[in-house]
């Protein structure tokens, strides 16, 4: 029954790449130029009492105020399978209209995924959806592969992945993760939005129920400061001298469909109905938490210090290569000034003898998917050995043990194995 | 005049370390919440439950259990919370399953001293509220703090 000559080859010719993030999933066939980004949630509104909106159905909601979220992930790990399966069903059947049994799947899981979560994932994808073959990997591994394809001469990559639930710093040596040196900072986009909600609600207007709106405000106004105390001084300034503070018109979803920054010096507010937030030092103090979690009382290093600490725990010969090839990825690195600040801070903290360089893609949130795409194409050409897939038939023979061996053992490197 | 002021400030309750830490923990937990408000469908579902509940007899319970689908079976096996995953991991660790894990990967504390910002206005702060330890930057912000949050978050 089983064709053993093809055991190690992917069983289908087309590969689906799914970067299954806690806030949005990025999905698409490898032939596409870009993935579709789908909110990885089910939402409910105040007005429609009997309807839930799955994934991108969120686009159909006219009044996004007081949106209620059901999320498959908790603290960055997939625990609500009911929710996840409803979203996957919708995405596969209605959005992409694909037949899983015709496809190989490359899918991501977070670093240090829990055994039972991974077991559930493999079981659901093979047995319920029936994918032809499966590759389970880290988003940062796909990103490092993307970087390796762009800069084949660089043996090491330090991937910083700052997403919705947390931020990881993962060093790579020739495409393999050094898990013993990997660090997690418990700050991500969700915490930043929640903190913004909290301080705006305290200082101006109760927006505690407005996660959707305030997330948009965060994306529209926040930036990473290059000099915190100077920006603080600027933010105190009156009217004309204040280059930081701005007015943000909140959407009311009737006359104002999306929030926007009120042009400076423009005429007074059009209608008195508009609800306006005055945003000052919040513009940079929110992303600042990524650089100093202690600003909100989280006793952990910020990103630049964690980079330096992480590298210091890797084998010495790698240090130079890691410092000179830092890749920042993930939605929470999209704040203007993020890359520059990481570069400046790491430069200050790193030994003088090492060159420091930081790379950022113009869509840092898509890099894992793009890396998966490259991996799918590379794998098909049979080069590398980076694509570790398990086929349906291998799964039926070897079960979960087979999967763990392939997905885990071949993708990481322990310090003791490095020479 | 100034005497009464001193008295009123010395009259303020001073939170002990334990209470301050609990308060801080609650603030951090709030930053992890998916929603601040309740599920708009919940009251509806709750209402349905209320209508149905009294009619449940032992017989219907049994019947319900029998017709549990595969999906329900799956739910039982994989129904986990993040907390239970952590507990599982701790058990594995006790059973000598070694190596880097979620627990070992947490970034350590910073070597740099924490910076302080006013809880009211967000600007750099040099003072700490005597009663609760919250940071403030000027008397105006202290006043706001005392009128709004100082001892009100402690319940
Ligand atoms: Zn203040
Ligand atoms: Zn106080």
């Amino acid at each position: 029954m089983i064709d053993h000559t093809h055991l190690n080859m992917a069983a289908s010719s087309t590969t689906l790449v799914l970067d299954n993030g806690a806030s949005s999933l990025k999905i698409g066939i490898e032939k596409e130029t870009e993935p579709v980004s789908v909110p990885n949630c089910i939402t409910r509104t105040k007005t429609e009492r009997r309807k839930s909106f799955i994934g991108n159905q969120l686009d159909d909601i006219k009044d996004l105020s007081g949106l209620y979220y059901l999320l498959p992930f908790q603290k960055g790990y997939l625990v609500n399978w009911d929710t996840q399966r409803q979203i996957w069903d919708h995405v596969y059947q209605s959005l992409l209209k694909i037949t899983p049994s015709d496809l190989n799947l490359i899918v991501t899981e977070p670093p240090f995924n829990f055994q039972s979560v991974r077991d559930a994932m493999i079981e659901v994808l093979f047995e319920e959806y029936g994918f032809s073959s499966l590759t389970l990997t880290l988003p940062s591994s796909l990103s490092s592969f993307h970087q390796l394809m762009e800069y084949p001469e660089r043996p090491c990559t330090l991937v910083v992945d700052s997403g919705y639930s947390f931020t990881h710093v993962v060093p790579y040596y020739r495409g393999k993760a050094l898990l013993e040196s990997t660090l997690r900072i418990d700050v991500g986009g969700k915490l930043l939005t929640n903190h913004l909600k909290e301080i705006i609600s305290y200082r101006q207007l109760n927006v505690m129920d407005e996660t959707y709106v305030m997330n948009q405000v965060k994306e529209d106004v926040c930036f990473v400061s290059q000099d915190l105390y100077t920006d603080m001084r600027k933010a105190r300034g009156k009217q004309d001298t204040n280059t930081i503070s701005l007015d943000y018109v909140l959407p009311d979803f009737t006359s104002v469909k999306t929030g926007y920054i009120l042009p400076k010096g423009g005429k007074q507010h059009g209608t008195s109905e508009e609800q306006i937030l005055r945003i000052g030092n919040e513009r940079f103090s929110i992303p600042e938490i990524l650089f100093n979690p202690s600003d909100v009382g989280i006793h952990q290093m910020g990103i630049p210090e964690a980079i330096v600490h992480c590298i210091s725990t890797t084998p010495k010969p790698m240090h130079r290569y890691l410092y000179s090839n830092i890749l920042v990825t993930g939605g929470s690195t999209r704040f203007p000034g993020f890359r520059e600040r990481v570069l400046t801070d790491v430069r200050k903290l790193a030994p003088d003898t090492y060159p420091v360089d930081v790379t950022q893609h113009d869509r840092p949130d898509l890099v894992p998917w793009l890396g998966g795409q490259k991996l799918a194409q590379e794998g098909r050409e049979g080069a590398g050995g980076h694509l570790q897939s398990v086929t349906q038939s291998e799964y039926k023979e070897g079960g979960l043990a087979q999967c763990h061996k392939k997905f885990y053992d071949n993708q990481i490197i322990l310090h003791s194995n490095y020479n | 005049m100034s005497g009464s002021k001193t008295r009123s400030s010395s009259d303020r309750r001073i939170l002990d370390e334990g209470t301050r830490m609990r308060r801080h923990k609650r603030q951090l937990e709030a930053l992890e919440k998916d929603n601040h408000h309740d599920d708009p469908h919940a009251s509806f579902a709750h209402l349905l439950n209320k209508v149905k509940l009294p009619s449940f007899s032992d017989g219907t319970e049994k019947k319900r259990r029998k017709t549990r689908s595969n999906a329900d079976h799956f739910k039982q096996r994989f129904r986990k919370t993040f907390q239970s995953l952590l507990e599982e991991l701790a058990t594995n660790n006790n059973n000598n399953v070694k190596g880097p894990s979620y627990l070992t990967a947490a970034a350590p504390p910073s070597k740099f001293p924490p910076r302080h910002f006013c809880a009211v206005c967000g600007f750099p702060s040099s003072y700490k509220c005597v009663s609760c330890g919250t940071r403030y930057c000027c008397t105006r912000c202290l006043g706001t703090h005392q009128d709004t949050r100082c001892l009100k978050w402690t319940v």
Side-chain angles (χ1 to χ4, degrees):
Chain A
M1 288 295 276
I2 298 155
D3 184 358
H4 284 275
T5 55
H6 289 84
L7 213 57
N8 290 316
M9 287 175 68
S12 170
S13 59
T14 313
T15 301
L16 179 71
V17 181
L18 167 59
D19 179 19
N20 201 48
S23 151
S24 69
L25 55 87
K26 275 70 75 180
I27 190 165
I29 300 289
E30 118 248 359
K31 292 184 202 82
E32 307 288 339
T33 47
E34 244 189 38
V36 199
S37 187
V38 182
N40 201 2
C41 58
I42 295 176
T43 44
R44 291 172 178 170
T45 70
K46 291 178 300 190
T47 44
E48 301 210 45
R49 276 304 175 98
R50 312 192 69 154
K51 189 164 166 30
S52 292
F53 299 83
I54 304 173
N56 62 303
Q57 288 180 339
L58 193 146
D59 299 340
D60 304 336
I61 304 176
K62 293 200 174 54
D63 185 349
L64 292 153
S65 61
L67 209 60
Y68 184 87
Y69 288 86
L70 295 163
L71 303 170
F73 283 72
Q74 201 185 351
K75 296 275 265 180
Y77 294 91
L78 217 178
V79 292
N80 301 320
W81 282 97
D82 268 356
T83 310
Q84 185 64 85
R85 287 191 300 180
Q86 282 184 63
I87 299 164
W88 282 349
D89 282 350
H90 171 75
V91 169
Y92 299 153
Q93 289 162 19
S94 310
L95 191 66
L96 297 184
K97 301 187 170 52
I98 51 161
T99 311
S101 56
D102 296 342
L103 297 167
N104 307 309
L105 178 69
I106 296 177
V107 61
T108 59
E109 60 169 1
F112 306 108
N113 199 6
F114 297 88
Q115 173 94 41
S116 58
V117 177
R118 180 182 292 157
D119 288 354
M121 179 102 146
I122 295 169
E123 204 174 304
V124 169
L125 292 170
F126 268 137
E127 295 184 16
E128 283 189 35
Y129 292 102
F131 279 101
S132 174
S133 82
L134 184 63
T135 299
L136 192 57
T137 184
L138 310 179
S140 53
S141 299
L142 296 180
S143 300
S144 87
F145 187 73
H146 187 269
Q147 188 77 346
L148 194 62
M149 292 295 102
E150 302 227 315
Y151 305 98
E153 73 286 0
R154 303 182 183 179
C156 298
T157 308
L158 187 91
V159 182
V160 176
D161 186 2
S162 190
Y164 179 69
S165 314
F166 37 43
T167 300
H168 281 94
V169 180
V170 194
Y172 282 83
Y173 173 68
R174 298 200 188 281
K176 294 192 176 192
L178 284 92
L179 280 192
E180 287 155 303
S181 295
T182 297
L183 292 175
R184 181 192 69 255
I185 302 166
D186 294 309
V187 179
K190 176 196 209 168
L191 185 138
L192 301 187
T193 299
N194 276 343
H195 188 60
L196 180 64
K197 265 165 51 180
E198 214 282 315
I199 55 180
I200 293 293
S201 298
Y202 182 46
R203 293 170 192 172
Q204 292 185 52
L205 176 74
N206 185 359
V207 289
M208 287 307 285
D209 296 351
E210 304 302 337
T211 306
Y212 180 87
V213 174
M214 292 311 288
N215 190 61
Q216 197 57 49
V217 174
K218 176 188 81 176
E219 290 178 10
D220 289 346
V221 307
C222 286
F223 68 92
V224 176
S225 172
Q226 305 302 315
D227 181 350
L228 187 75
Y229 292 98
T230 302
D231 283 337
M232 282 285 183
R233 223 170 11 246
K234 284 185 194 161
R236 275 185 195 279
K238 294 268 176 291
Q239 301 292 328
D240 299 343
T241 59
N242 191 333
T243 49
I244 302 288
S245 297
L246 49 79
D247 290 329
Y248 190 92
V249 180
L250 288 172
D252 59 9
F253 299 108
T254 51
S255 57
V256 185
K257 302 267 192 282
T258 38
Y260 60 94
I261 297 165
L262 203 64
K264 271 218 163 170
K267 47 182 175 234
Q268 286 299 315
H269 324 134
T271 64
S272 52
E273 301 289 290
E274 283 170 353
Q275 212 150 32
I276 290 175
L277 291 182
R278 180 93 176 141
I279 319 260
N281 58 32
E282 296 87 358
R283 287 187 66 196
F284 53 84
S285 66
I286 292 294
E288 196 59 31
I289 303 169
L290 289 162
F291 294 82
N292 290 279
S294 60
D295 287 359
V296 289
I298 294 174
H299 303 297
Q300 285 187 316
M301 295 172 165
I303 290 172
E305 196 183 0
I307 290 173
V308 174
H309 182 71
C310 165
I311 293 177
S312 76
T313 64
T314 64
K316 192 102 202 272
M318 293 186 192
H319 293 191
R320 163 176 300 273
Y321 299 108
L322 287 168
Y323 274 119
S324 61
N325 194 24
I326 298 168
L327 175 68
V328 294
T329 66
S332 291
T333 70
R334 298 184 75 183
F335 298 111
F338 186 95
R339 191 195 78 88
E340 294 76 2
R341 173 71 178 276
V342 170
L343 179 60
T344 317
D345 284 9
V346 172
R347 180 65 280 168
K348 275 186 222 155
L349 298 169
D352 292 340
T353 47
Y354 295 137
V356 176
D357 192 32
V358 180
T359 314
Q360 186 177 33
H361 195 276
D362 54 1
R363 281 298 300 275
D365 52 330
L366 302 187
V367 176
W369 188 89
L370 294 167
Q373 177 189 42
K374 283 204 154 87
L375 184 62
Q377 292 162 352
E378 180 79 1
R380 204 171 44 200
E381 285 156 23
H386 290 280
L387 183 68
Q388 299 294 337
S389 68
V390 172
T391 62
Q392 266 286 356
S393 50
E394 284 177 296
Y395 171 69
K396 281 185 184 125
E397 274 194 354
L400 291 168
Q402 169 79 6
C403 298
H404 291 306
K405 191 164 170 46
K406 270 220 168 155
F407 298 148
Y408 193 70
D409 298 352
N410 289 318
Q411 288 175 15
I412 62 149
I413 183 164
L414 297 174
H415 291 173
S416 51
N417 297 337
Y418 167 79
N419 44 42
Chain B
M1 286 282 266
S2 68
S4 79
K5 212 175 196 174
T6 338
R7 193 167 49 230
S8 80
S9 67
S10 63
D11 277 353
R12 286 188 80 88
R13 198 152 62 90
I14 291 177
L15 299 185
D16 58 79
E17 197 49 37
T19 314
R20 287 181 190 200
M21 271 166 67
R22 276 195 300 280
R23 181 147 117 168
H24 178 59
K25 195 167 161 256
R26 255 202 323 278
Q27 285 166 349
L28 288 185
E29 279 165 5
L31 291 180
E32 285 295 335
K33 280 170 105 173
D34 294 338
N35 299 284
H36 181 258
H37 55 308
D38 293 332
D39 183 352
H41 291 198
S43 52
F44 184 69
H46 183 64
L47 222 71
L48 275 186
N49 272 344
K50 257 196 181 152
V51 177
K52 274 188 187 166
L53 262 177
S55 69
F56 271 154
S57 68
D58 284 351
T60 54
E61 269 293 313
K62 230 174 239 166
K63 209 171 161 193
R64 226 165 47 123
R65 211 168 291 153
K66 236 183 218 168
T67 56
R68 176 172 284 159
S69 67
N70 279 338
D72 281 334
H73 166 74
F74 179 88
K75 247 161 59 184
Q76 288 300 313
R77 255 190 73 203
F78 291 118
R79 178 180 283 158
K80 296 272 157 68
T81 62
F82 181 73
Q83 200 49 44
S84 65
L85 289 173
L86 276 186
E87 281 156 20
E88 241 173 50
L89 185 65
T91 320
N92 286 346
N93 281 359
N94 288 341
N95 296 336
N96 267 334
V97 182
K98 284 272 152 57
S101 74
Y102 179 85
L103 298 170
T104 61
S110 172
K111 290 182 197 79
F112 302 106
R115 315 174 304 178
H116 300 297
F117 303 101
C118 175
V120 178
C121 68
F123 285 108
S125 131
S126 328
Y127 316 104
K128 226 164 140 177
C129 170
V130 180
S131 300
C132 72
T134 297
R135 309 294 308 200
Y136 68 94
C137 70
C138 59
T139 45
R140 205 170 132 233
C141 285
L142 176 64
T144 309
H145 164 69
Q146 287 176 336
D147 291 344
T148 51
R149 283 200 166 160
C150 184
L151 295 171
K152 300 186 178 168
W153 267 16
T154 53
V155 204

